[in-house]
């Protein structure tokens, strides 16, 4: 569970990578060396692995950067619903690649059946929950990710569009559903952009308050910034300073983790096959300096590139840097598997059937550890 991983990252390192760090009867070191986290394999065995995962996309299909969501375009990544077998993908990633965290994007409109401020749509939520339960069944941590870019049909939350109350009611309902599940992580919003960061921080505070009041008092909540929550822009654009003021009900910042994204192509958009940078000098090193100075941590929930040699080089370098700075970076997730076609430029969709799956070149080179 990432909540226990968080604790492991905050103590002195002892066990080497891939060494045993827990399990029934274990009396040895329980903390891991820099770049690794103590990951449960069974009741008898836990070992030090990178905090690494993949996005399982599909329920977010139809979401636009303007916050629109064509619900009919959702492509549930579940064989039981006639789609891609996301459950088998996650099982493969855990068993064969030692991954331990998945992000599960979904459209806000999909969850509430298109009714702003309304209750969870029972049919749609039940379908999404099938993916959540399949994730939980692997033993991995599972991120609930609302994929609406801080918007609903063009209007910015708390800034002329949906009210903070309408947004926080969504999170109140989700926190009520999953508040007793320790390895659920709440990803408040995918990639806000062109927002007033001070007002956005107030919206984030309202959502955190709603989640904690609903009884989800211990789970990690991911706080996203402006400019598509770019790691490189997080400090310069004021996101870090504004979101640092967000607190839990008791005034603490425990398990309030910054949510950052960073792609490696020429315009950092994640739309091009080739990679040109490892992002360490201009993004992750400056952010790490700020995080250490302010005693905070971040999780890189989207990164990736094409299945080409340049991305194998630069992504591996980037992920090695994050592992080596695990005091402030809790880990990373590649974009993306799930319902994407294997021809998608950033595809991380494994091929084969549920008993024998083969990873893409980039996953094999950099993400599977």
């Amino acid at each position: 569970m990432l909540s226990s991983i968080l604790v492991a990252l905050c103590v002195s390192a002892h066990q080497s990578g891939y060494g045993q760090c827990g399990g029934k009867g274990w009396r040895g070191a329980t903390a891991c060396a820099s770049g690794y986290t103590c990951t449960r394999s069974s009741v008898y065995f836990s070992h030090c692995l990178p905090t690494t995962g993949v996005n399982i996309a599909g329920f977010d299909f139809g979401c636009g950067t303007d916050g629109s969501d064509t619900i009919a375009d959702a492509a549930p990544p579940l064989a039981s619903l006639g789609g891609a077998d996301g459950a088998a993908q996650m099982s493969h990633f855990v068993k064969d690649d030692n991954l331990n965290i998945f992000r599960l994007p979904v459209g806000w409109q999909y969850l509430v059946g298109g009714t702003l401020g309304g209750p969870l749509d029972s049919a749609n939520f039940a379908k999404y929950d099938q993916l959540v339960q399949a994730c939980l069944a692997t033993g991995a941590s599972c991120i609930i990710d609302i994929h609406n870019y801080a918007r609903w049909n063009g209007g910015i939350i708390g800034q002329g569009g949906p009210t903070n109350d309408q947004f926080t009611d969504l999170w109140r309902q989700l926190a009520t559903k999953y508040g007793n599940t320790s390895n659920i992580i709440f990803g408040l919003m995918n990639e806000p952009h062109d927002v007033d960061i001070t007002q956005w921080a107030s919206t984030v505070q309202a959502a955190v308050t709603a989640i904690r009041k609903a009884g989800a008092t211990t789970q990690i909540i991911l706080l996203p910034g402006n400019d598509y929550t770019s790691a490189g822009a997080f400090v310069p654009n004021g996101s870090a300073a504004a979101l640092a003021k967000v607190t839990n009900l008791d005034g603490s910042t425990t398990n309030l983790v910054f949510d950052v994204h960073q792609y490696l192509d020429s315009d950092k958009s994640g739309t091009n096959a080739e990679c040109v940078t490892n992002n360490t000098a201009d993004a992750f090193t400056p952010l790490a300096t700020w995080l250490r100075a302010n005693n905070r941590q971040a999780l890189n929930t989207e990164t990736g590139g094409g299945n080409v040699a340049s991305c194998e080089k630069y992504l591996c370098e980037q992920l090695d840097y994050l592992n080596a700075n695990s005091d402030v970076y809790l880990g990373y997730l590649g974009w993306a598997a799930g319902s994407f076609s294997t021809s998608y430029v950033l595809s991380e969709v494994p091929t084969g059937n549920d008993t024998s799956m083969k990873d893409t070149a980039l996953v094999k080179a950099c993400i599977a550890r």
Side-chain angles (χ1 to χ4, degrees):
M1 297 182 297
L2 198 62
S3 56
S4 61
I5 287 170
L6 179 62
V7 173
L9 287 175
C10 293
V11 297
S12 297
H14 296 289
Q15 184 58 282
S16 59
Y18 298 94
Q20 186 172 0
C21 56
K24 189 174 182 179
W26 176 249
R27 297 181 184 279
T30 57
C32 297
S34 180
Y36 298 88
T37 59
C38 193
T39 303
R40 184 180 185 273
S41 178
S42 72
V43 69
Y44 299 101
F45 184 74
S46 297
H47 51 166
C48 291
L49 300 176
T51 305
T52 311
V54 172
N55 283 261
I56 306 298
F59 278 107
D60 56 311
F61 287 12
C63 291
T65 58
D66 62 351
S68 61
D69 182 12
T70 304
I71 296 174
D73 287 348
L78 291 163
S80 61
L81 298 176
D85 197 346
Q89 292 178 21
M90 289 187 285
S91 179
H92 155 71
F93 285 134
V94 169
K95 293 178 180 178
D96 299 333
D97 295 338
N98 292 314
L99 305 193
N100 48 29
I101 184 170
F102 298 103
R103 183 169 178 253
L104 313 175
V106 63
W108 182 1
Q109 288 93 330
Y110 183 89
L111 286 178
V112 296
T115 302
L116 179 61
L120 295 173
D121 181 273
S122 59
N124 286 357
F125 176 73
K127 293 176 183 177
Y128 179 68
D129 186 57
Q130 286 185 46
L131 184 64
V132 175
Q133 297 305 320
C135 178
L136 292 172
T138 68
S141 295
C142 308
I143 303 173
I144 308 297
D145 163 52
I146 305 302
H147 215 75
N148 277 69
Y149 304 89
R151 288 160 167 76
W152 174 292
N153 295 344
I156 300 173
I157 303 166
Q159 301 180 37
T163 65
N164 284 349
D165 286 346
Q166 289 170 324
F167 179 56
T168 58
D169 188 61
L170 170 70
W171 276 112
R172 177 193 61 78
Q173 295 180 72
L174 291 170
T176 300
K177 294 285 187 180
Y178 297 117
N180 293 322
T181 308
S182 56
N183 52 334
I184 286 287
I185 299 167
F186 299 114
L188 293 183
M189 180 58 62
N190 177 68
E191 296 191 343
H193 63 91
D194 300 289
V195 300
D196 179 295
I197 192 58
T198 301
Q199 292 184 58
W200 174 244
S202 296
T203 298
V204 170
Q205 178 65 77
V208 168
T209 299
I211 289 170
R212 297 309 192 208
K213 284 186 174 180
T217 58
T218 60
Q219 291 90 343
I220 287 175
I221 302 176
L222 300 176
L223 315 181
N226 206 357
D227 293 324
Y228 300 89
T229 204
S230 161
F234 210 81
V235 174
N237 70 15
S239 295
L243 294 173
K245 299 175 183 177
V246 175
T247 66
N248 295 307
L249 299 178
D250 62 0
S252 72
T253 58
T254 303
N255 285 340
L256 300 182
V257 174
F258 297 126
D259 187 358
V260 298
H261 293 177
Q262 196 70 38
Y263 287 97
L264 302 92
D265 49 350
S266 58
D267 59 2
K268 308 294 179 72
S269 67
T271 59
N272 303 290
E274 296 290 340
C275 296
V276 300
T277 177
N278 60 22
N279 290 310
T280 58
D282 62 344
F284 288 112
T285 296
L287 179 56
T289 299
W290 187 94
L291 292 169
R292 287 193 183 97
N294 291 275
N295 196 30
R296 299 302 295 267
Q297 295 171 312
L299 179 66
N300 182 194
T301 60
E302 276 191 33
T303 192
N307 288 285
V308 295
S310 64
C311 291
E312 290 182 27
K313 168 181 167 57
Y314 289 118
L315 182 63
C316 287
E317 291 175 355
Q318 175 178 295
L319 302 189
D320 286 344
Y321 179 87
L322 298 181
N323 282 332
N325 291 270
S326 61
D327 60 316
V328 291
Y329 292 117
L330 295 186
Y332 43 84
L333 293 95
W335 182 270
S339 291
F340 278 112
S341 166
T342 55
S343 63
Y344 169 53
V345 66
L346 302 189
S347 175
E348 294 178 355
V349 178
T351 55
N353 56 43
D354 59 355
T355 60
S356 178
M357 287 191 166
K358 181 179 179 181
D359 288 320
T360 64
L362 192 64
V363 168
K364 184 176 180 180
C366 301
I367 296 176
R369 295 293 179 117

